[in-house]
Amino acid sequence: MINNAGIVRTARFDEVPYEEYQRHLDVHYFGALRVCRAAWPHLLKSPAGRVVNTISQAMLGNPDMSHYGGSKGALFGLTRNLAVEGLAAGVMVNAIAPGAGTRMAEASADSLSPEVMEYMRTQLRPEHVAPVAAYLVHPDCTVTGEVFNVAGGIVNRLALVNTVGIHDPSLTVDTVAERFDEIMAISPDAMPQVVAPAEVPASS
Ligand SMILES: NC(=O)c1ccc[n+]([C@@H]2O[C@H](COP(=O)([O-])OP(=O)(O)OC[C@H]3O[C@@H](n4cnc5c(N)ncnc54)[C@H](O)[C@@H]3O)[C@@H](O)[C@H]2O)c1
């Protein structure tokens, strides 16, 4: 199942009417959620239940997209949680964050330069995105809870990591300030946040 429906309108945070936040949540979050709820019992029974939700890099921060990006962030959270719930039954739930010169991109043309629009129209084609969505719903795909950025032939994984950080049971504000570089540092030991089976405690 691929949830792809989407809308966008760009506006500054303090100018977006509340109704527009609701509309973006209704289409992106509740739209995908309702389809997932209807399909879920069938996906659980299927030998190859696969879901792909369409999210956006805007959830990580784009100018004038707080309503759009926020609703895609909500769908990202749903994706991860369904990935956890579907794990035992083998239902794989992933997301793509596409970039393509579509009707939606045309609708945002006012906020993009003519050069960027031309690049999107000619170089970032929807047919560059479709193969990744198709792969993720194929029975051979066994990853879950992942996000892939897809645009113009580029495909990469958006990885979430927990840094090693610090552990200090007598933590103070001063400690946080003094050790902030350690909290921030992404060392080779940083732990990617993956959806994986919970460890079963050894029976006694
Ligand atoms: N084009 C991009 O660069 C880009 C970037 C990031 C994310 N996305 C996401 O990709 C997905 C596809 O968008 P696109 O770029 O092909 O745009 P598009 O406008 O060409 O396609 C969006 C489709 O969603 C449908 N839709 C909108 N509201 C709906 C509703 N309530 N119920 C059913 N269908 C509805 C529209 O009719 C349209 O067919 C969207 O979720 C969008 O947010 C696109």
Side-chain angles (χ1 to χ4, degrees), residues 3-8 23 26-28 31 53-58 68 72 75 96-107 120 124 126 129 150-151:
N3 289 306
N4 189 54
I7 54 171
V8 74
R23 205 165 74 90
D26 283 345
V27 174
H28 299 139
N53 292 323
T54 310
I55 61 170
S56 170
Q57 277 279 326
Y68 177 80
K72 292 292 191 180
L75 182 53
I96 53 171
T102 61
R103 290 164 292 188
M104 178 175 287
E106 297 295 338
M120 290 188 82
L124 307 187
V129 177
V150 191

Side-chain angles (χ1 to χ4, degrees), residues 97-101 119-120 122-132 148-157:
Y119 179 74
M120 290 188 82
T122 57
Q123 305 300 313
L124 307 187
R125 305 294 310 149
E127 48 267 40
H128 289 124
V129 177
V132 177
F148 299 92
N149 298 305
V150 191
I154 293 169
V155 185
N156 61 43
R157 174 189 182 193

